[in-house]
Amino acid sequence: MDEPFTILPEEAAPPHARQCDRCELSGQRTRVIWGEGNPDAPIMMILDNPGAREDRQGIEFLCGTRETLQLGMREAGLDIGSVYVTYLLKCRPVRAYNKPAAREACASHLLLQLQQKRPLLLFGFGNVVAEALFPWREEASVKVLRGSWHDYQGIPVGFSYHPLAVRRRPNLMRLFVEDLSALAARWKKTREM
């Protein structure tokens, strides 16, 4: 029998974030979603924004993004307890919005998380995350950035495809697992130092 997937515990957003009104998403959100998993984890994973699953408070279920992410982590030998998952945007968009303005407004929340949590490694999923972390790079895409380590705020960061892209295009699973295996190897190397 296959091992069941895990619903990671959610970390409550701090008061200043729950009251944030820096962008138009504050007017369409249900709530602020800060992150989930081990808040003291050495690895911080970054997704673009919360989805319907995260936005439903009190009705826990496992979405396709989490299933694919956990499947890839298992294949790579990466322990679920070693990760914390967060987002560029802390609110789920429900209609069209000014994406650059929302990312800029929310950037301070991610920087605060990095300062407070001090992860040893970062891992971003999808082109939106790559572009947001490296806006000055002409070619900031997963296709270009995956397979090597980069620096963000003094922390090594790697990239892979978004779990939903992998779910929709199963041919990406091999590369997804390859990238997560590289993360597991880098984490192992970091612990041995």
Side-chain angles (χ1 to χ4, degrees):
M1 188 169 111
D2 288 336
E3 188 181 334
F5 292 106
T6 304
I7 294 177
L8 297 173
E10 186 177 313
E11 182 180 30
H16 77 273
R18 289 194 304 267
Q19 297 162 6
C20 180
D21 61 358
R22 291 185 207 153
C23 77
E24 63 188 286
L25 290 181
S26 65
Q28 54 177 281
R29 71 175 174 234
T30 305
R31 64 195 194 97
V32 173
I33 298 101
W34 197 243
E36 63 187 54
N38 177 359
D40 300 315
I43 301 169
M44 182 183 283
M45 294 181 161
I46 306 170
L47 292 163
D48 48 358
N49 56 260
R53 176 247 178 226
E54 295 81 22
D55 203 33
R56 289 173 141 174
Q57 192 167 18
I59 307 173
E60 292 190 335
F61 70 97
L62 203 70
C63 64
T65 296
R66 294 309 176 292
E67 281 185 6
T68 305
L69 178 56
Q70 289 184 34
L71 185 62
M73 288 175 62
R74 283 182 193 165
E75 292 287 318
L78 195 56
D79 175 38
I80 193 98
S82 65
V83 303
Y84 179 81
V85 180
T86 192
Y87 314 91
L88 289 175
L89 302 180
K90 307 303 184 192
C91 305
R92 176 186 177 226
V94 292
R95 59 182 172 272
Y97 65 100
N98 182 329
K99 293 178 182 179
R103 287 182 199 145
E104 185 178 330
C106 234
S108 63
H109 294 311
L110 180 61
L111 291 175
L112 177 65
Q113 284 180 307
L114 293 176
Q115 290 167 0
Q116 290 178 339
K117 296 184 180 306
R118 300 180 174 272
L120 299 176
L121 298 171
L122 295 174
F123 206 77
F125 295 98
N127 289 333
V128 171
V129 174
E131 291 165 7
L133 297 187
F134 297 109
W136 61 88
R137 288 188 69 152
E138 199 170 307
E139 286 286 324
S141 70
V142 169
K143 199 172 184 180
V144 171
L145 297 174
R146 65 172 292 274
S148 56
W149 289 91
H150 310 274
D151 180 86
Y152 182 74
Q153 300 291 320
I155 306 169
V157 60
F159 291 92
S160 191
Y161 297 98
H162 194 288
L164 280 182
V166 174
R167 195 172 179 86
R168 292 180 187 131
R169 295 176 50 204
N171 61 313
L172 293 176
M173 181 56 94
R174 180 183 59 80
L175 300 174
F176 187 66
V177 171
E178 191 178 285
D179 296 338
L180 289 168
S181 295
L183 172 60
R186 179 72 182 240
W187 168 227
K188 183 180 178 188
K189 186 178 172 184
T190 302
R191 282 182 306 192
E192 291 170 353
M193 294 174 124

